[in-house]
Amino acid sequence: METFTTNPPLMDNMGRIIDYARISITNHCNLRCCYCMPDGAQPDNTTLLKTEEILFICKSLSEVGISKFKITGGEPLLHSNVIELIKSLKQLPLVDQVTLTTNGVLLSDKLSGLMNAGLDGVNVSLDTLRPERYQKITGVAALHLVKQGIDDCLKKGMPLKLNCVFISQFNEDELLDFAELAKQNILDIRWIEMMPIGQGKRFETISNLQILKRLEQQYGTFKCSEKKGNGPAVYYEHPDFMGKIGLISPVSQCFCNTCNRVRVTADGILKLCLNYKLGFDLKELLKKEISQLELSEEIKRMIYQKPKRHAFGMTATKLETRNMWQIGG
């Protein structure tokens, strides 16, 4: 592979600095969440990137200015080489941070290996703390395994965030239950508005402004934190809380003007925005035995075309029709 030096910041046509990539390493999952990957979904094994192809792409991304990587799926802990992949990413000289998003079912079993590989943090997607409701959402009775993974992260000092999607008249009654976790533990609870993509179009989300109002009715005023994550979350802190509250509001408060991310799907498509079909087939370029430097130049050209903003609630063409598990959302 060619040797590179640090380049100037990677910018798109809107002048946004792009330094963060979500890398989906599989489209398989061990859950069947109703708003993401319902029963009957059939992931395609034949088109998935191989581990060496993922690393080749990530190296080129790092060489043009991507310094932070989030490993996603499907469920990334199902990938047989996930620990080796994370270790290799951490060894790339221009990579500052590698984190992982998981449903948490396999987290306890994999945690020691992930920590030894140098993983910088874990996001656990969890929408309920009630076993029966968890099974209704996911189709699997595995909440006890997720809770064990969370407890193990807290005990071993792995930085931890819980991602929760609230759905109107379904799990909104658990708001304070989740808030108490951030009050009593060093972890962040992040509420994410349901995006109208794929199966998500069938559900009514709850505005994060409503969530913050309800939290302040219970606990008093939260102060906007100076803490910044890799993505669009706005964090709030409270003197009685050990952790923080994060709000990710793509629907009620468009944050596209500060978007710093791109995505690579498990089948090798570089996506510039979740909402649009627009994508570039990196796997096809790899089949042509493109060099590391050539791929880096192609990626820079592609990222320059990143859309100005999403089209949630607007009339637009060429919108994404696939489900979140297919695009590494």
Side-chain angles (χ1 to χ4, degrees):
M1 293 184 180
E2 294 95 336
T3 300
F4 297 78
T5 57
T6 304
N7 291 320
L10 176 62
M11 300 179 70
D12 67 5
N13 64 95
M14 302 301 299
R16 295 170 293 199
I17 295 176
I18 312 300
D19 61 2
Y20 176 39
R22 294 175 63 96
I23 309 296
S24 174
I25 63 174
T26 181
N27 55 20
H28 287 257
C29 190
N30 46 0
L31 301 182
R32 287 295 180 268
C33 296
C34 55
Y35 59 79
C36 180
M37 190 181 189
D39 281 335
Q42 296 294 329
D44 183 0
N45 276 329
T46 63
T47 61
L48 300 185
L49 291 170
K50 299 175 182 177
T51 301
E52 57 267 27
E53 292 175 323
I54 296 172
L55 287 171
F56 193 90
I57 290 170
C58 288
K59 180 169 173 59
S60 281
L61 285 166
S62 74
E63 300 295 358
V64 298
I66 302 293
S67 60
K68 294 168 284 191
F69 289 85
K70 174 78 72 180
I71 304 302
T72 73
E75 171 48 48
L77 295 184
L78 288 174
H79 194 289
S80 60
N81 292 327
V82 60
I83 291 174
E84 293 77 8
L85 175 62
I86 290 169
K87 183 177 181 179
S88 296
L89 281 177
K90 287 289 295 181
Q91 292 174 345
L92 293 178
L94 301 178
V95 172
D96 293 334
Q97 187 182 86
V98 179
T99 56
L100 177 138
T101 291
T102 173
N103 60 35
V105 174
L106 301 175
L107 181 56
S108 184
D109 289 341
K110 301 280 188 178
L111 184 57
S112 292
L114 293 169
M115 295 184 73
N116 289 336
L119 187 70
D120 293 296
V122 171
N123 290 29
V124 175
S125 298
L126 182 63
D127 301 320
T128 179
L129 300 171
R130 302 178 186 179
E132 290 184 2
R133 184 173 285 174
Y134 181 90
Q135 186 167 359
K136 184 175 181 179
I137 293 174
T138 67
V140 181
L143 181 59
H144 63 292
L145 298 176
V146 181
K147 288 184 174 181
Q148 184 62 58
I150 291 170
D151 288 343
D152 288 347
C153 283
L154 292 172
K155 290 175 183 176
K156 296 183 178 182
M158 169 61 76
L160 180 65
K161 300 174 183 177
L162 302 187
N163 293 342
C164 182
V165 176
F166 269 4
I167 301 170
S168 180
Q169 299 181 347
F170 188 68
N171 62 346
E172 58 184 307
D173 56 339
E174 295 188 61
L175 176 65
L176 298 183
D177 295 334
F178 275 94
E180 284 295 316
L181 290 178
K183 183 178 180 182
Q184 299 172 17
N185 299 280
I186 303 176
L187 58 79
D188 297 338
I189 303 291
R190 310 196 314 166
W191 280 284
I192 306 173
E193 292 178 343
M194 175 77 74
M195 287 179 277
I197 296 175
Q199 297 294 320
K201 295 176 182 178
R202 300 168 46 217
F203 299 91
E204 181 183 350
T205 191
I206 300 171
S207 164
N208 277 341
L209 296 176
Q210 295 175 267
I211 288 176
L212 183 60
K213 181 178 179 181
R214 288 167 59 183
L215 289 174
E216 293 194 325
Q217 287 173 344
Q218 177 68 24
Y219 298 107
T221 302
F222 282 77
K223 176 184 177 183
C224 192
S225 173
E226 295 182 359
K227 172 182 176 176
K228 302 294 182 182
N230 292 333
V234 177
Y235 287 93
Y236 294 85
E237 53 191 16
H238 189 285
D240 295 336
F241 277 56
M242 296 177 68
K244 292 182 173 61
I245 299 297
L247 302 180
I248 301 176
S249 313
V251 179
S252 66
Q253 296 174 295
C254 177
F255 45 69
C256 297
N257 63 319
T258 58
C259 184
N260 65 334
R261 67 178 60 186
V262 293
R263 293 168 171 81
V264 178
T265 66
D267 55 358
I269 304 298
L270 176 68
K271 280 189 66 66
L272 308 180
C273 176
L274 270 178
N275 196 205
Y276 294 98
K277 282 186 177 179
L278 176 65
F280 299 92
D281 196 336
L282 302 181
K283 190 176 180 70
E284 282 300 311
L285 292 177
L286 297 184
K287 288 180 181 178
K288 297 176 182 178
E289 298 185 353
I290 190 171
S291 72
Q292 197 86 65
L293 181 58
E294 289 170 331
L295 181 59
S296 294
E297 291 301 316
E298 285 295 312
I299 286 173
K300 281 196 291 187
R301 178 186 63 80
M302 295 168 185
I303 288 177
Y304 190 77
Q305 302 174 58
K306 185 174 170 66
K308 180 178 180 180
R309 59 158 295 160
H310 64 61
F312 297 154
M314 303 165 60
T315 300
T317 59
K318 300 181 180 179
L319 297 181
E320 182 60 78
T321 57
R322 292 179 294 173
N323 289 302
M324 293 293 267
W325 61 270
Q326 295 171 300
I327 57 179

